[in-house]
Amino acid sequence: MVVRGEVWSVALDPTLGSEIQKTRPCVVVSPPEMHDHLRTVIVAPMSSKGKPAPFRIPIAFKRKQGLILLDQIRTVDKLRLIKREGSIADNTLTDALHTLQEVFAD
């Protein structure tokens, strides 16, 4: 069972070009109506490196400072989900979801 706002280690390889790679923590951003009925889930990778930007949400997770990279969201098969690592704070999830709304607004 996958829940929006959870952080999972996700195997993102193979990748191409500038796509974020490796196995890394990712935040589940897809709604339950989607990932409860499909074999896929939409995730936003997290990184402790990278430059801040309006579409990158600052986060402290497991005593590390980093960013949720909303510019690198991906739809992945649930087979890529390796391990549940925890979940993010409600206010951080709200910030991420509002930012995604702004990114995709007309």
Side-chain angles (χ1 to χ4, degrees), residues 58-78:
I59 187 167
F61 186 74
K62 291 191 172 182
R63 300 182 186 170
K64 286 187 179 179
Q65 296 296 316
L67 299 165
I68 301 172
L69 308 178
L70 298 177
D71 55 309
Q72 291 280 340
I73 60 172
R74 283 183 60 180
T75 301
V76 297
D77 192 286
K78 289 179 185 172

Side-chain angles (χ1 to χ4, degrees), residues 37-69:
H37 301 286
L38 301 173
R39 293 177 49 182
T40 56
V41 60
I42 300 173
V43 297
M46 295 166 54
S47 179
S48 58
K49 298 181 172 83
K51 298 177 183 170
F55 42 81
R56 293 183 169 183
I57 307 298
I59 187 167
F61 186 74
K62 291 191 172 182
R63 300 182 186 170
K64 286 187 179 179
Q65 296 296 316
L67 299 165
I68 301 172
L69 308 178

